[in-house]
RNA sequence: UCCUCGAUAGCUCAGCUGGUUAGAGCGAGUGACUGUUAAUCACUAGGUCCCUGGUUCGAGCCCAGGUCGGGGAGCCA
């Protein structure tokens, strides 16, 4: 019996097992908000209606105490979930003392140190449900499209691109690296099964401390024989649309819990703009407007509004602090104002960080040098202007991976494509058409200073029945972060591993 | 690796140009309250002011070096 099914048991006696998510009590009444992993439900112990021992046990409950409750299901529109339980029996399973996570603002470090408990809170619960939908939707999409799921090894002897970002391990006395992409293996598997996808963990030892980076993250890498870059873009677009529509179909309540603006997700049915690198650069530099917006001007406006908001917030904090100081205010009202002040101070810290970052981003966009790869801030500047994901293709070949196909129409470019999520999120997909020319590939491997013997097996794919093929890699956490509009990817995975974070 | 912000009670934060005994709210504990949805009231217990050194009659506050954390750059999904 689970809380999510209560509607089928109106006016019946049910038994629920779960944890105390919240509790309020007065003399003859105890209100327990029970959490059972499927939902929340208020349960009421009324001293007049139940045995004294049950009532006393109800009073003993604390935050996150585990209990079993039996009671009658009563419809009550005012309650979360629309139902309430009138308790008739209550069994304490384990009484928790001093649960660390309180119903108030906490700092990031504290919450991360208590990630094992933080996962129980409502917001995190909702995010994990959405992640689950996305994971399932990804498998569903590819399976329906006739893809075979195959897994690339996690231990690898050679680096795809450089070694500075690899975690080294000991493999029976030899160095081995944790995989940072299954890409090359994916190509081999596609030659055997035509269309395949991998879905597994990926490791990158980048000492990055930004909202977009994890050291361990989950990547989905499809690879398709007989696909060119345009087929690839068609697939990316269909794929992301299917996944987001699945979330909209299954997770409206969760999206509401985290206060996600659904209208932007609903735009997913619109076609994704496809820009060449050249076009995207013009937009970033503010030389071309898009959707009646100019990248530079709108960022300048953003900066102004951040500055204005800072003075607003400062004024409100001061006002509330002065209010509290006046003698005679009721204790509860002081507490209420103090909680508001806490929240405003957190907002103020974030705004001040933005006011330091935006000028840097502005100068980076203004001074963007044609031919460079996009940085994180460039992607932010660009994607703030859109309300659907965009695809940027035909990149200068020097800045992209060695295995990307040179554009036959202009050898300056490589047929890579990045998909950038809107609202400033940036890259969630990177991919492209693969180089099939054996000599060009050998040249690129030498150019990058990579050990040729490690790539012999890969070159075999060009020697024996080489065909045009393409694929891409999607970062699961980045997709979840955008769908949920989270400020940081660390909340999209149960136990994040990142620079400076290996526990819990 | 670089830039930038920070570290004070279990938590979130005040703490003035350096000045006696370091504060608030929340949380916790005790008692009072018959329906609450972070707003009832009273009382109680909570501190190595991150570490090391320096300046000073005097350092939570100033200086130097470190440690840890937030944000960003580079790199990337």
């Amino acid at each position: 019996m689970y809380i999510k099914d209560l509607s089928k048991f109106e006016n019946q006696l049910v038994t629920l097992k779960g944890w105390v998510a919240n509790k309020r009590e007065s003399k003859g009444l105890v209100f327990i908000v029970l959490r059972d992993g499927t939902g929340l439900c208020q349960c009421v112990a009324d001293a007049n209606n139940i045995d004294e021992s049950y009532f006393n046990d109800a009073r003993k409950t604390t935050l996150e105490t585990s209990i079993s409750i039996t009671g009658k299901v009563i419809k009550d529109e005012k309650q979360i979930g629309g139902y309430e339980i009138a308790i008739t029996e209550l069994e304490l399973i384990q009484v928790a003392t001093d649960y660390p996570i309180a119903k108030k603002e906490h700092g990031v470090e504290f919450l991360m140190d208590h990630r094992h408990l933080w996962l129980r809170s409502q917001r995190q619960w909702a995010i994990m449900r959405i992640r689950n939908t996305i994971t399932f939707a990804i498998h569903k999409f590819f399976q329906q499209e006739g893809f075979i799921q195959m897994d690339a090894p996690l231990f690898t002897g050679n680096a795809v691109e450089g070694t500075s970002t690899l975690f080294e391990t000991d493999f029976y006395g030899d160095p081995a690296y944790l995989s940072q992409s299954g890409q090359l293996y994916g190509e081999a598997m596609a030659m055997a099964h035509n269309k395949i996808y991998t879905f597994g963990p990926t490791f990158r030892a980048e000492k990055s401390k930004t909202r977009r980076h994890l050291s361990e993250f989950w990547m989905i890498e499809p690879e398709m024989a007989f696909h060119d870059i345009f087929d690839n873009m068609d697939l990316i677009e269909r794929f992301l649309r299917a996944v987001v529509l699945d979330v909209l179909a299954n997770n409206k309540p969760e999206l509401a819990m985290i206060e996600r603006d659904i209208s932007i997700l609903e735009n997913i049915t619109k076609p994704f703009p496809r820009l060449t690198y050249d076009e995207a650069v013009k937009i970033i530099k503010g030389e071309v407007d898009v959707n009646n917006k100019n990248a530079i001007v709108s960022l300048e406006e953003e900066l102004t509004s951040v500055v204005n908001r800072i003075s607003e917030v400062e004024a409100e904090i001061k006002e509330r602090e002065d209010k509290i100081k006046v003698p005679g205010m009721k204790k509860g009202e002081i507490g209420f104002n103090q909680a508001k002040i806490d929240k405003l101070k957190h907002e103020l810290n974030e705004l001040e960080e933005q006011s330091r970052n935006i000028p840097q981003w502005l100068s980076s966009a203004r001074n963007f040098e044609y031919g460079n790869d996009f940085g994180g801030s460039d992607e932010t500047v660009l994607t703030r202007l859109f309300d659907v994901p965009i695809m940027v293709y035909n990149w200068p070949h020097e800045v992209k991976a060695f295995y990307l196909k040179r554009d036959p129409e202009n050898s300056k470019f490589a047929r890579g494509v990045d998909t950038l999520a809107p609202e400033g999120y940036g890259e969630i997909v990177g991919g492209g058409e693969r180089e099939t020319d054996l000599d060009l590939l050998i040249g690129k491997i030498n150019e990058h200073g990579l050990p040729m013997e490690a790539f012999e097996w890969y070159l075999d794919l060009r020697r024996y029945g080489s065909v045009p093929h393409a694929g891409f890699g999607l970062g699961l956490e980045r997709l979840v972060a955008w769908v949920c509009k989270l400020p940081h990817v660390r909340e999209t995975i149960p136990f994040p591993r990142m620079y400076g974070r290996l526990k819990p």
Side-chain angles (χ1 to χ4, degrees):
Chain A
M1 179 69 218
Y2 296 105
I3 288 172
K4 68 180 167 65
D5 301 321
L6 281 181
S7 59
K8 295 173 203 154
F9 295 88
E10 197 175 328
N11 294 323
Q12 295 179 43
L13 220 54
V14 297
T15 298
L16 294 171
K17 292 173 184 177
W19 299 262
V20 175
N22 201 355
K23 182 187 150 190
R24 290 171 287 271
E25 68 183 300
S26 54
K27 184 155 188 190
L29 287 166
V30 179
F31 301 93
I32 292 169
V33 176
L34 190 73
R35 174 180 74 72
D36 77 343
T38 75
L40 295 168
C41 177
Q42 175 164 282
C43 306
V44 186
D46 185 334
N48 295 329
N49 298 335
I50 62 172
D51 288 358
E52 202 182 330
S53 72
Y54 289 141
F55 186 76
N56 286 337
D57 281 349
R59 290 189 46 168
K60 279 184 206 152
T61 60
T62 57
L63 223 53
E64 290 305 317
T65 283
S66 44
I67 53 173
S68 170
I69 276 176
T70 300
K72 192 173 164 190
V73 182
I74 293 160
K75 198 171 173 71
D76 183 350
E77 296 294 349
K78 280 191 301 186
Q79 300 305 330
I80 315 164
Y83 293 89
E84 183 177 89
I85 305 284
I87 300 174
T88 53
E89 288 173 38
L90 184 145
E91 184 199 340
L92 295 172
I93 298 169
Q94 191 255 336
V95 178
T97 48
D98 298 333
Y99 185 68
I101 299 181
K103 294 175 290 175
K104 74 188 294 276
E105 291 284 307
H106 288 290
V108 175
E109 193 182 0
F110 178 81
L111 289 171
M112 290 295 288
D113 284 342
H114 295 85
R115 183 63 174 165
H116 52 298
L117 302 176
W118 188 22
L119 286 171
R120 302 180 186 192
S121 63
Q122 223 184 123
R123 197 179 157 75
Q124 301 305 311
W125 178 86
I127 293 166
M128 288 305 138
R129 296 230 144 193
I130 293 167
R131 179 185 167 107
N132 175 61
T133 300
I134 289 175
T135 300
F136 189 56
I138 288 168
H139 282 293
K140 206 165 71 181
F141 174 83
F142 285 120
Q143 294 291 332
Q144 281 170 357
E145 293 256 338
F147 284 64
I148 302 295
Q149 195 209 333
M150 295 181 80
D151 296 305
L154 297 186
F155 282 122
T156 57
N158 58 286
V160 177
E161 303 157 66
T163 52
S164 60
T165 60
L166 290 168
F167 286 104
E168 193 175 318
T169 62
D170 177 86
F171 192 78
Y172 307 114
D174 285 328
Y177 304 99
L178 294 182
S179 169
Q180 58 175 2
S181 169
Q183 149 84 50
L184 304 185
Y185 298 98
E187 291 184 45
M189 296 187 284
M191 297 306 122
H193 289 266
N194 201 305
K195 292 190 289 185
I196 65 98
Y197 69 108
T198 65
F199 194 141
T202 302
F203 307 90
R204 300 216 178 146
E206 295 160 349
K207 289 183 178 171
S208 299
K209 284 167 46 172
T210 80
R211 70 184 68 196
R212 306 181 299 282
H213 286 88
L214 292 170
S215 303
E216 176 184 290
F217 64 96
W218 287 71
M219 191 151 67
I220 295 87
E221 293 181 287
E223 193 69 34
M224 301 79 69
F226 305 104
H227 274 55
D228 65 14
I229 189 174
F230 302 102
D231 300 325
N232 199 21
M233 286 196 272
D234 290 345
L235 182 73
I236 292 170
E237 185 167 343
R238 273 208 315 284
F239 165 62
L240 289 176
R241 184 169 296 136
V243 170
V244 172
L245 286 175
D246 245 29
V247 172
L248 285 169
N250 293 300
N251 295 108
K252 285 262 170 69
E254 285 83 4
L255 291 166
M257 266 179 206
I258 61 176
E259 293 174 312
R260 176 51 158 139
D261 177 2
I262 285 183
S263 68
I264 284 164
L265 296 180
E266 282 167 343
N267 288 333
I268 202 76
T269 52
K270 297 202 292 194
F272 296 5
R274 298 179 186 190
L275 312 170
T276 62
Y277 172 84
D278 285 16
E279 290 168 328
V281 169
K282 287 193 180 113
I283 295 171
I284 289 171
K285 290 173 78 80
E287 291 166 8
V288 172
D289 287 5
V290 63
N291 296 332
N292 296 318
K293 283 182 277 189
N294 181 283
I296 301 288
V297 173
S298 90
L299 200 59
E300 280 166 348
E301 285 167 3
E302 176 75 12
L303 182 59
T304 316
S305 83
V306 165
V307 170
N308 289 341
R309 180 70 190 149
I310 286 175
S311 35
E312 260 177 55
V313 170
E314 277 172 345
E316 191 178 342
I317 289 173
K318 178 136 198 343
E319 189 190 318
R320 287 188 189 272
E321 277 176 343
D322 290 346
K323 232 161 112 183
I324 287 176
K325 280 181 200 145
V326 178
M329 182 183 272
K330 280 215 261 175
K331 213 160 174 278
E333 206 176 341
I334 290 174
F336 177 74
N337 275 295
Q338 191 62 50
K340 280 267 194 263
I341 290 170
D342 282 2
K343 228 174 206 166
L344 289 167
K345 279 186 177 160
H346 278 223
E347 189 185 342
L348 191 60
N349 280 338
E350 273 163 36
L351 288 166
E352 280 170 348
E353 249 151 25
Q354 283 181 47
S355 74
R356 281 190 292 266
N357 286 334
I358 292 176
Q360 288 178 29
W361 296 354
L362 264 169
S363 95
S364 158
R366 281 204 189 96
N367 304 322
F368 186 87
E369 245 176 81
Y370 181 88
N372 285 350
D373 204 351
F374 293 172
S377 68
D378 303 315
E379 290 176 3
T380 301
V381 170
L382 179 62
T383 60
R384 283 178 70 246
L385 308 175
F386 291 89
D387 58 4
V388 273
I390 62 170
M391 297 195 270
V392 181
Y393 66 104
N394 274 11
W395 294 75
H397 74 89
E398 297 92 344
V399 302
K400 286 291 172 186
F402 76 89
Y403 48 73
L404 284 174
K405 186 182 179 67
R406 205 65 69 83
D407 185 9
E409 283 156 34
N410 186 342
S411 63
K412 237 171 57 175
F413 297 115
R415 288 191 138 182
V417 53
D418 283 0
T419 305
L420 312 180
E423 302 175 90
Y425 271 83
E427 185 169 3
I428 51 174
V429 170
E433 188 173 338
R434 314 310 184 189
E435 185 58 78
T436 48
D437 186 299
L438 184 61
D439 293 332
L440 269 177
L441 258 183
I442 291 171
K444 271 281 182 185
I445 290 170
N446 285 327
E447 219 174 275
H448 283 73
L450 298 167
M452 191 63 66
E453 72 280 4
F455 290 94
E456 280 305 327
W457 70 264
Y458 182 68
L459 295 173
D460 270 358
L461 305 177
R462 272 67 181 172
R463 295 184 180 114
Y464 307 111
S466 181
V467 300
H469 62 292
F472 62 89
L474 167 88
L476 178 64
E477 287 75 18
R478 286 191 181 175
L479 177 61
V480 176
W482 169 61
V483 168
C484 296
K485 203 168 182 180
L486 301 177
H488 199 296
V489 289
R490 66 180 154 230
E491 285 182 59
T492 65
I493 184 165
F495 293 96
R497 292 291 176 256
M498 52 205 280
Y499 186 53
R501 170 67 57 184
L502 195 54
K503 289 178 187 171

